[in-house]
Amino acid sequence: MLNTYFRVIVGVMVLLSVVLSVYVSPNWMWFTVFIGVNLIQSAFTKWCLLETILVKLGVKK
């Protein structure tokens, strides 16, 4: 269940940042870059802030 929530939240954040970069300011692409860097970082360190937050909110692994 945690994996499903994680993928939905990250997908929504990426889509939102792309929409904001098209309609508001191209600088919103930096948010997309931030998300990508965090995904790469979590692959190497096996730690993700979003996962920690979701577990504390009671989402089951």
Side-chain angles (χ1 to χ4, degrees):
M1 196 62 161
L2 179 66
N3 197 21
T4 303
Y5 279 109
F6 179 81
R7 289 174 188 259
V8 168
I9 292 169
V10 171
V12 167
M13 288 174 30
V14 168
L15 290 174
L16 179 65
S17 66
V18 170
V19 168
L20 287 171
S21 70
V22 169
Y23 293 108
V24 178
S25 169
N27 286 327
W28 279 101
M29 285 305 271
W30 288 108
F31 186 52
T32 310
V33 171
F34 173 75
I35 295 167
V37 169
N38 277 315
L39 288 170
I40 294 168
Q41 169 267 326
S42 69
F44 290 108
T45 64
K46 307 294 188 235
W47 179 83
C48 178
L49 178 61
L50 178 57
E51 184 178 332
T52 304
I53 293 168
L54 289 173
V55 169
K56 288 188 181 204
L57 289 175
V59 176
K60 304 232 185 311
K61 287 190 177 187

